[in-house]
Amino acid sequence: MKKIRLATVWLDGCAGCHMSILDMDETILNIAKRVDVVYGPLVDAQEFPKQVDVALIEGAVSSQDDLEKIRTVRQRSKLVVALGDCAVTANVPGMRNQLIPRKLLERIYVEGAQECRGVPTDGVPALLRQAVPIQEVVKVDLHVPGCPPPASAIAFVLGELVEGRVPDLSSKVKFG
């Protein structure tokens, strides 16, 4: 039995979706028998690999780095899953969309700073004008809402995908 090549990606979000993945408890052991995790915050891969079967994406597209990464992910993945409300709707990262990024950064790093006033630039990706859900940038094959989605829903999705089925999430998840 061939294992599915699974990647997880963390864009602009809080890591809650990845925490839900870890909260699958012993179910994760059953899924681990059927997948090879080839990329993600818990794996020491520096570059997104080629030929990924399933990519779980957490977070909104908020920076130039996020934009480049999600395009690479889509290009190299058979199935892209928007995992959580930030990936599905832009949720909390999208709250900044009413503000101009430059003014937002000045408010935080200049006006609000006690020390070291100045907007950081070294190693900091340029913000996009708006934080957007991933389907506004690339084709998404499956949306798994929730903030975060419950571990049981993620386990159900992964279980169905490793069996080659499209999960019916109508009774498993909700927004928020």
Side-chain angles (χ1 to χ4, degrees):
M1 164 174 45
K2 183 182 175 217
K3 288 187 170 187
I4 287 180
R5 291 173 52 84
L6 175 70
T8 68
V9 176
W10 180 10
L11 300 177
D12 187 0
C14 69
C17 295
H18 277 86
M19 296 308 294
S20 274
I21 292 169
L22 295 176
D23 282 345
M24 287 191 293
D25 298 328
E26 66 274 352
T27 304
I28 203 167
L29 298 174
N30 294 328
I31 291 170
K33 294 174 187 173
R34 303 285 313 271
V35 303
D36 281 326
V37 180
V38 295
Y39 184 86
L42 303 174
V43 177
D44 191 28
Q46 302 302 310
E47 183 178 330
F48 194 84
K50 295 180 178 159
Q51 300 175 333
V52 170
D53 295 309
V54 176
L56 302 177
I57 314 301
E58 169 182 0
V61 180
S62 296
S63 69
Q64 192 62 43
D65 284 6
D66 292 344
L67 184 62
E68 291 168 17
K69 183 177 279 184
I70 195 62
R71 287 178 175 159
T72 299
V73 168
R74 176 71 270 181
Q75 191 176 42
R76 297 179 180 181
S77 302
K78 291 179 187 173
L79 188 75
V80 170
V81 178
L83 184 64
D85 289 351
C86 293
V88 174
T89 68
N91 202 22
V92 173
M95 293 172 72
R96 73 157 171 93
N97 288 347
Q98 304 305 313
L99 305 169
I100 297 168
R102 179 185 50 78
K103 289 186 178 187
L104 172 67
L105 293 171
E106 287 174 0
R107 171 72 180 108
I108 295 166
Y109 292 105
V110 177
E111 297 169 30
Q114 300 286 330
E115 299 176 23
C116 302
R117 292 177 185 219
V119 176
T121 55
D122 289 342
V124 178
L127 289 178
L128 298 176
R129 172 64 185 99
Q130 300 228 304
V132 297
I134 62 174
Q135 73 266 8
E136 287 193 23
V137 179
V138 299
K139 178 183 177 276
V140 172
D141 302 295
L142 182 65
H143 294 84
V144 183
C147 186
S152 60
I154 298 170
F156 172 75
V157 167
L158 289 173
E160 291 292 285
L161 292 174
V162 299
E163 292 297 328
R165 297 186 293 259
V166 177
D168 176 6
L169 293 169
S170 58
S171 67
K172 303 285 184 200
V173 293
K174 62 181 180 171
F175 286 96

